[in-house]
Amino acid sequence: MGVSALGYVGFEVSDLATWRHYATDFLGLMDVTTDESELRFRMDSHAWRFAVTKGGRDDLSFIGFEVTDAAALAAVAQQLKTIGVETTQDKALAKHRGVSDLLKCADPSGTAVEIYYGATEVFPEPLRSPAGVQGFVTGDQGLGHLVLYTGDVAAALKFYQQGLGFRLSDNIDMALSPEFSLELTFLHCNPRHHTLALVPAPLPKRLNHFMVQVENMEDVGFAYDRADKLGVKIANTLGRHTNDHMFSFYAFTPSGFEVEFGWGARTISEPWTVTRHKANSTWGHKRLSNS
Ligand SMILES: [Fe+2]
């Protein structure tokens, strides 16, 4: 038993106005903000997927993982309890998030984690992307993926695998020099190749990047052109990843962490065989800038 998808994420950012422009005009998310203290954006039939609030962290502020129903919520709470993580039910927060029930806890790095079922759907209001994105890949694959920095991979794996039910997809040994490589860990909870990846680095920021996937390849190209037009800085050029086969590029957000804008990833097929890779990318993804 485990969580079934990445349902929503929250960012705490220092510049709300710039983020609103970035989320809509660059990423193509639909602005559905009703309270100016918390910007909200849609990418599909869910009432919202991204919440952006003002604060000095410029980082991930919370992660929302979806479970199928009340029984799954109780089962995940029990698994977390078994590894020593207590969850707290928060009915007021559930109402604010627009979900039926919600439990909250924190991962070993201190990131707020919410587990919920019963997200609000708004099918009568079709998605209108302000940047003309034809559609994002969500559904049973959830919102996209998050790549997190952690100072303690073993503790993170215990929380995400034993507690939340994630399974290993693969590892990449990313060579930083001839003598030194970082072992990246990729985890899945549904057909998306990875919903989470862990980078073993105890950095002040918890989020390396988040990924959104579009349905059409041209929408990656259009986003690349929009970055140029809007002055959004590219972090990595177009390329294709070795493990999930995502065709994508990376850009900086106004908060310094990055977004991966992708198309065409392969999905997990059962039975899945865990493998290792020696490089992140088959081609491309050339690093242009570190900030
Ligand atoms: Fe990624």
Side-chain angles (χ1 to χ4, degrees):
M1 187 61 80
V3 300
S4 44
L6 176 62
Y8 55 70
V9 294
F11 300 135
E12 183 186 306
V13 311
S14 51
D15 187 343
L16 276 183
T18 302
W19 255 96
R20 179 175 241 156
H21 172 54
Y22 183 91
T24 53
D25 297 332
F26 172 55
L27 296 178
L29 302 174
M30 182 177 172
D31 188 352
V32 288
T33 303
T34 55
D35 169 357
E36 290 299 316
S37 68
E38 184 184 69
L39 307 183
R40 282 187 173 180
F41 301 99
R42 270 179 67 189
M43 67 191 314
D44 59 5
S45 62
H46 278 215
W48 65 281
R49 290 286 198 174
F50 295 89
V52 183
T53 53
K54 191 167 173 62
R57 287 197 295 175
D58 280 307
D59 201 357
L60 191 59
S61 52
F62 59 85
I63 312 175
F65 289 112
E66 196 164 82
V67 293
T68 50
D69 53 20
L73 190 65
V76 170
Q78 186 56 45
Q79 285 174 191
L80 284 165
K81 194 175 175 144
T82 305
I83 58 163
V85 178
E86 291 296 332
T87 54
T88 312
Q89 188 182 38
D90 191 330
K91 291 194 169 174
L93 187 59
K95 191 171 179 216
H96 180 67
R97 302 279 194 244
V99 301
S100 301
D101 197 5
L102 179 154
L103 302 176
K104 59 184 185 182
C105 60
D107 81 357
S109 297
T111 301
V113 169
E114 299 169 10
I115 307 142
Y116 72 89
Y117 77 93
T120 303
E121 297 264 26
V122 288
F123 285 112
E125 298 151 45
L127 184 78
R128 291 183 307 278
S129 166
V133 172
Q134 295 170 73
F136 293 93
V137 176
T138 57
D140 65 355
Q141 296 189 55
L143 176 164
H145 70 230
L146 299 176
V147 176
L148 305 175
Y149 292 117
T150 175
D152 189 341
V153 174
L157 285 176
K158 188 172 181 184
F159 178 84
Y160 285 107
Q161 290 188 293
Q162 292 178 44
L164 298 189
F166 277 86
R167 282 152 287 151
L168 182 62
S169 304
D170 45 40
N171 296 96
I172 298 180
D173 294 305
M174 191 174 76
L176 298 180
S177 72
E179 301 83 34
F180 184 68
S181 66
L182 275 185
E183 184 187 57
L184 311 182
T185 304
F186 296 81
L187 302 168
H188 64 271
C189 64
N190 60 41
R192 189 178 290 287
H193 174 276
H194 57 280
T195 288
L196 277 184
L198 304 172
V199 182
L203 298 183
K205 259 200 214 308
R206 286 162 185 161
L207 184 61
N208 170 276
H209 74 265
F210 68 101
M211 188 284 304
V212 294
Q213 183 176 347
V214 289
E215 289 173 353
N216 296 291
M217 192 194 77
E218 283 72 19
D219 274 329
V220 176
F222 286 133
Y224 206 74
D225 281 354
R226 287 198 298 278
D228 186 46
K229 188 174 151 211
L230 299 171
V232 169
K233 207 165 180 184
I234 300 293
N236 293 71
T237 60
L238 288 164
R240 192 139 212 171
H241 279 304
T242 50
N243 61 348
D244 66 357
H245 298 181
M246 187 80 78
F247 168 74
S248 61
F249 71 93
Y250 291 70
F252 288 99
T253 70
S255 292
F257 57 80
E258 296 165 29
V259 64
E260 178 182 7
F261 202 98
W263 167 85
R266 64 172 169 167
T267 52
I268 295 286
S269 53
E270 301 290 352
W272 179 257
T273 301
V274 172
T275 56
R276 303 189 70 81
H277 302 269
K278 291 183 169 186
N280 284 3
S281 304
T282 306
W283 58 268
H285 287 147
K286 183 185 164 194
R287 192 73 176 164
L288 292 185
S289 172
N290 285 317
S291 62

PDB file of all heavy atoms in Angstrom, residues 7 53 58 61 76 80 107 126 130 136 168-169 197-198 216 226 239 276 286 288 290:
ATOM      1  N   GLY A   7       0.131  14.927  -5.960  1.00  0.00           N
ATOM      2  CA  GLY A   7      -1.135  15.608  -6.253  1.00  0.00           C
ATOM      3  C   GLY A   7      -1.007  17.107  -6.394  1.00  0.00           C
ATOM      4  O   GLY A   7      -1.602  17.706  -7.288  1.00  0.00           O
ATOM      5  N   THR A  53       3.007  30.980  -2.223  1.00  0.00           N
ATOM      6  CA  THR A  53       2.801  31.975  -1.166  1.00  0.00           C
ATOM      7  C   THR A  53       4.074  32.789  -0.961  1.00  0.00           C
ATOM      8  O   THR A  53       5.160  32.368  -1.365  1.00  0.00           O
ATOM      9  CB  THR A  53       2.424  31.300   0.171  1.00  0.00           C
ATOM     10  OG1 THR A  53       3.406  30.309   0.476  1.00  0.00           O
ATOM     11  CG2 THR A  53       1.050  30.664   0.110  1.00  0.00           C
ATOM     12  N   ASP A  58      12.142  30.813  -0.794  1.00  0.00           N
ATOM     13  CA  ASP A  58      12.327  30.504  -2.214  1.00  0.00           C
ATOM     14  C   ASP A  58      12.610  29.016  -2.413  1.00  0.00           C
ATOM     15  O   ASP A  58      13.624  28.612  -2.993  1.00  0.00           O
ATOM     16  CB  ASP A  58      13.427  31.378  -2.838  1.00  0.00           C
ATOM     17  CG  ASP A  58      12.885  32.762  -3.180  1.00  0.00           C
ATOM     18  OD1 ASP A  58      11.859  32.835  -3.879  1.00  0.00           O
ATOM     19  OD2 ASP A  58      13.458  33.755  -2.713  1.00  0.00           O
ATOM     20  N   SER A  61       7.470  24.466  -0.232  1.00  0.00           N
ATOM     21  CA  SER A  61       6.934  24.657   1.126  1.00  0.00           C
ATOM     22  C   SER A  61       6.111  23.453   1.578  1.00  0.00           C
ATOM     23  O   SER A  61       6.044  23.175   2.760  1.00  0.00           O
ATOM     24  CB  SER A  61       6.117  25.940   1.237  1.00  0.00           C
ATOM     25  OG  SER A  61       5.131  26.003   0.246  1.00  0.00           O
ATOM     26  N   VAL A  76      -1.526   4.062   4.878  1.00  0.00           N
ATOM     27  CA  VAL A  76      -0.264   4.807   4.790  1.00  0.00           C
ATOM     28  C   VAL A  76       0.103   5.387   6.156  1.00  0.00           C
ATOM     29  O   VAL A  76       1.269   5.357   6.570  1.00  0.00           O
ATOM     30  CB  VAL A  76      -0.349   5.903   3.698  1.00  0.00           C
ATOM     31  CG1 VAL A  76       0.852   6.838   3.767  1.00  0.00           C
ATOM     32  CG2 VAL A  76      -0.431   5.268   2.312  1.00  0.00           C
ATOM     33  N   LEU A  80       3.563   4.675   8.207  1.00  0.00           N
ATOM     34  CA  LEU A  80       4.422   5.743   8.732  1.00  0.00           C
ATOM     35  C   LEU A  80       4.641   5.555  10.230  1.00  0.00           C
ATOM     36  O   LEU A  80       5.746   5.725  10.741  1.00  0.00           O
ATOM     37  CB  LEU A  80       3.803   7.115   8.437  1.00  0.00           C
ATOM     38  CG  LEU A  80       3.943   7.575   6.977  1.00  0.00           C
ATOM     39  CD1 LEU A  80       3.010   8.752   6.684  1.00  0.00           C
ATOM     40  CD2 LEU A  80       5.389   7.975   6.660  1.00  0.00           C
ATOM     41  N   ASP A 107       8.943  15.090   6.166  1.00  0.00           N
ATOM     42  CA  ASP A 107       9.929  14.090   5.745  1.00  0.00           C
ATOM     43  C   ASP A 107      11.220  14.312   6.561  1.00  0.00           C
ATOM     44  O   ASP A 107      11.309  15.271   7.331  1.00  0.00           O
ATOM     45  CB  ASP A 107      10.110  14.111   4.221  1.00  0.00           C
ATOM     46  CG  ASP A 107      11.039  15.201   3.718  1.00  0.00           C
ATOM     47  OD1 ASP A 107      11.538  16.014   4.530  1.00  0.00           O
ATOM     48  OD2 ASP A 107      11.272  15.240   2.492  1.00  0.00           O
ATOM     49  N   PRO A 126     -13.197  24.060 -18.465  1.00  0.00           N
ATOM     50  CA  PRO A 126     -12.053  23.502 -19.205  1.00  0.00           C
ATOM     51  C   PRO A 126     -10.772  24.310 -18.975  1.00  0.00           C
ATOM     52  O   PRO A 126     -10.823  25.513 -18.739  1.00  0.00           O
ATOM     53  CB  PRO A 126     -12.487  23.608 -20.665  1.00  0.00           C
ATOM     54  CG  PRO A 126     -13.964  23.770 -20.634  1.00  0.00           C
ATOM     55  CD  PRO A 126     -14.286  24.457 -19.352  1.00  0.00           C
ATOM     56  N   PRO A 130      -2.811  30.026 -20.637  1.00  0.00           N
ATOM     57  CA  PRO A 130      -2.545  31.369 -21.173  1.00  0.00           C
ATOM     58  C   PRO A 130      -1.395  31.394 -22.175  1.00  0.00           C
ATOM     59  O   PRO A 130      -1.275  32.342 -22.942  1.00  0.00           O
ATOM     60  CB  PRO A 130      -2.209  32.187 -19.923  1.00  0.00           C
ATOM     61  CG  PRO A 130      -1.881  31.213 -18.863  1.00  0.00           C
ATOM     62  CD  PRO A 130      -2.582  29.941 -19.186  1.00  0.00           C
ATOM     63  N   PHE A 136      -1.199  19.006 -20.415  1.00  0.00           N
ATOM     64  CA  PHE A 136      -0.133  18.441 -19.577  1.00  0.00           C
ATOM     65  C   PHE A 136      -0.450  16.973 -19.302  1.00  0.00           C
ATOM     66  O   PHE A 136      -1.623  16.597 -19.168  1.00  0.00           O
ATOM     67  CB  PHE A 136      -0.025  19.200 -18.255  1.00  0.00           C
ATOM     68  CG  PHE A 136       0.453  20.617 -18.408  1.00  0.00           C
ATOM     69  CD1 PHE A 136      -0.455  21.673 -18.529  1.00  0.00           C
ATOM     70  CD2 PHE A 136       1.815  20.912 -18.443  1.00  0.00           C
ATOM     71  CE1 PHE A 136      -0.013  22.982 -18.676  1.00  0.00           C
ATOM     72  CE2 PHE A 136       2.263  22.220 -18.583  1.00  0.00           C
ATOM     73  CZ  PHE A 136       1.349  23.263 -18.701  1.00  0.00           C
ATOM     74  N   LEU A 168      11.794   1.609  -6.050  1.00  0.00           N
ATOM     75  CA  LEU A 168      12.983   2.058  -6.784  1.00  0.00           C
ATOM     76  C   LEU A 168      12.789   1.847  -8.287  1.00  0.00           C
ATOM     77  O   LEU A 168      12.403   0.757  -8.726  1.00  0.00           O
ATOM     78  CB  LEU A 168      14.198   1.265  -6.291  1.00  0.00           C
ATOM     79  CG  LEU A 168      15.546   1.627  -6.904  1.00  0.00           C
ATOM     80  CD1 LEU A 168      15.938   3.072  -6.616  1.00  0.00           C
ATOM     81  CD2 LEU A 168      16.627   0.676  -6.398  1.00  0.00           C
ATOM     82  N   SER A 169      13.076   2.904  -9.072  1.00  0.00           N
ATOM     83  CA  SER A 169      13.065   2.777 -10.533  1.00  0.00           C
ATOM     84  C   SER A 169      14.464   2.452 -11.032  1.00  0.00           C
ATOM     85  O   SER A 169      14.666   1.477 -11.749  1.00  0.00           O
ATOM     86  CB  SER A 169      12.592   4.078 -11.186  1.00  0.00           C
ATOM     87  OG  SER A 169      11.337   4.454 -10.697  1.00  0.00           O
ATOM     88  N   ALA A 197      12.950  12.069  -7.055  1.00  0.00           N
ATOM     89  CA  ALA A 197      14.345  11.644  -7.150  1.00  0.00           C
ATOM     90  C   ALA A 197      15.104  12.330  -6.024  1.00  0.00           C
ATOM     91  O   ALA A 197      14.742  13.427  -5.594  1.00  0.00           O
ATOM     92  CB  ALA A 197      14.941  12.001  -8.506  1.00  0.00           C
ATOM     93  N   LEU A 198      16.132  11.639  -5.536  1.00  0.00           N
ATOM     94  CA  LEU A 198      16.903  12.136  -4.395  1.00  0.00           C
ATOM     95  C   LEU A 198      18.337  12.404  -4.814  1.00  0.00           C
ATOM     96  O   LEU A 198      18.979  11.549  -5.442  1.00  0.00           O
ATOM     97  CB  LEU A 198      16.898  11.096  -3.259  1.00  0.00           C
ATOM     98  CG  LEU A 198      15.511  10.661  -2.768  1.00  0.00           C
ATOM     99  CD1 LEU A 198      15.656   9.492  -1.788  1.00  0.00           C
ATOM    100  CD2 LEU A 198      14.771  11.832  -2.116  1.00  0.00           C
ATOM    101  N   ASN A 216       2.351  17.230 -26.170  1.00  0.00           N
ATOM    102  CA  ASN A 216       2.859  17.367 -27.541  1.00  0.00           C
ATOM    103  C   ASN A 216       4.283  17.903 -27.558  1.00  0.00           C
ATOM    104  O   ASN A 216       4.591  18.861 -26.846  1.00  0.00           O
ATOM    105  CB  ASN A 216       1.957  18.315 -28.330  1.00  0.00           C
ATOM    106  CG  ASN A 216       0.563  17.738 -28.471  1.00  0.00           C
ATOM    107  OD1 ASN A 216       0.347  16.754 -29.168  1.00  0.00           O
ATOM    108  ND2 ASN A 216      -0.375  18.320 -27.745  1.00  0.00           N
ATOM    109  N   ARG A 226       9.544  30.631 -25.728  1.00  0.00           N
ATOM    110  CA  ARG A 226       9.003  31.605 -24.761  1.00  0.00           C
ATOM    111  C   ARG A 226      10.074  32.022 -23.757  1.00  0.00           C
ATOM    112  O   ARG A 226      10.122  33.175 -23.337  1.00  0.00           O
ATOM    113  CB  ARG A 226       7.801  31.021 -24.002  1.00  0.00           C
ATOM    114  CG  ARG A 226       6.532  30.903 -24.825  1.00  0.00           C
ATOM    115  CD  ARG A 226       5.298  30.740 -23.929  1.00  0.00           C
ATOM    116  NE  ARG A 226       5.310  29.542 -23.101  1.00  0.00           N
ATOM    117  CZ  ARG A 226       4.949  28.331 -23.510  1.00  0.00           C
ATOM    118  NH1 ARG A 226       4.536  28.137 -24.745  1.00  0.00           N
ATOM    119  NH2 ARG A 226       4.988  27.302 -22.679  1.00  0.00           N
ATOM    120  N   GLY A 239      17.531  18.096 -24.385  1.00  0.00           N
ATOM    121  CA  GLY A 239      18.243  16.823 -24.335  1.00  0.00           C
ATOM    122  C   GLY A 239      17.280  15.692 -24.048  1.00  0.00           C
ATOM    123  O   GLY A 239      16.067  15.921 -23.910  1.00  0.00           O
ATOM    124  N   ARG A 276      20.985   0.506 -13.519  1.00  0.00           N
ATOM    125  CA  ARG A 276      21.850   1.648 -13.206  1.00  0.00           C
ATOM    126  C   ARG A 276      22.247   2.327 -14.507  1.00  0.00           C
ATOM    127  O   ARG A 276      22.335   1.686 -15.557  1.00  0.00           O
ATOM    128  CB  ARG A 276      23.143   1.195 -12.512  1.00  0.00           C
ATOM    129  CG  ARG A 276      22.967   0.408 -11.261  1.00  0.00           C
ATOM    130  CD  ARG A 276      24.306   0.217 -10.552  1.00  0.00           C
ATOM    131  NE  ARG A 276      24.783   1.471  -9.996  1.00  0.00           N
ATOM    132  CZ  ARG A 276      24.337   1.964  -8.836  1.00  0.00           C
ATOM    133  NH1 ARG A 276      23.442   1.317  -8.130  1.00  0.00           N
ATOM    134  NH2 ARG A 276      24.799   3.106  -8.392  1.00  0.00           N
ATOM    135  N   LYS A 286      23.018  20.160 -22.057  1.00  0.00           N
ATOM    136  CA  LYS A 286      24.283  20.843 -21.759  1.00  0.00           C
ATOM    137  C   LYS A 286      24.015  21.960 -20.737  1.00  0.00           C
ATOM    138  O   LYS A 286      23.088  22.747 -20.904  1.00  0.00           O
ATOM    139  CB  LYS A 286      24.865  21.433 -23.042  1.00  0.00           C
ATOM    140  CG  LYS A 286      26.196  22.108 -22.868  1.00  0.00           C
ATOM    141  CD  LYS A 286      26.618  22.769 -24.180  1.00  0.00           C
ATOM    142  CE  LYS A 286      27.737  23.763 -23.920  1.00  0.00           C
ATOM    143  NZ  LYS A 286      27.942  24.640 -25.081  1.00  0.00           N
ATOM    144  N   LEU A 288      24.236  25.337 -19.136  1.00  0.00           N
ATOM    145  CA  LEU A 288      24.580  26.677 -19.617  1.00  0.00           C
ATOM    146  C   LEU A 288      24.906  27.621 -18.476  1.00  0.00           C
ATOM    147  O   LEU A 288      25.673  28.566 -18.653  1.00  0.00           O
ATOM    148  CB  LEU A 288      23.416  27.277 -20.428  1.00  0.00           C
ATOM    149  CG  LEU A 288      23.092  26.611 -21.764  1.00  0.00           C
ATOM    150  CD1 LEU A 288      22.010  27.412 -22.468  1.00  0.00           C
ATOM    151  CD2 LEU A 288      24.320  26.498 -22.657  1.00  0.00           C
ATOM    152  N   ASN A 290      24.714  28.069 -13.805  1.00  0.00           N
ATOM    153  CA  ASN A 290      24.404  27.494 -12.494  1.00  0.00           C
ATOM    154  C   ASN A 290      23.536  28.409 -11.647  1.00  0.00           C
ATOM    155  O   ASN A 290      23.261  28.097 -10.496  1.00  0.00           O
ATOM    156  CB  ASN A 290      25.695  27.164 -11.753  1.00  0.00           C
ATOM    157  CG  ASN A 290      26.353  25.905 -12.332  1.00  0.00           C
ATOM    158  OD1 ASN A 290      25.664  24.916 -12.623  1.00  0.00           O
ATOM    159  ND2 ASN A 290      27.641  25.951 -12.529  1.00  0.00           N
TER     160      ASN A 290
END
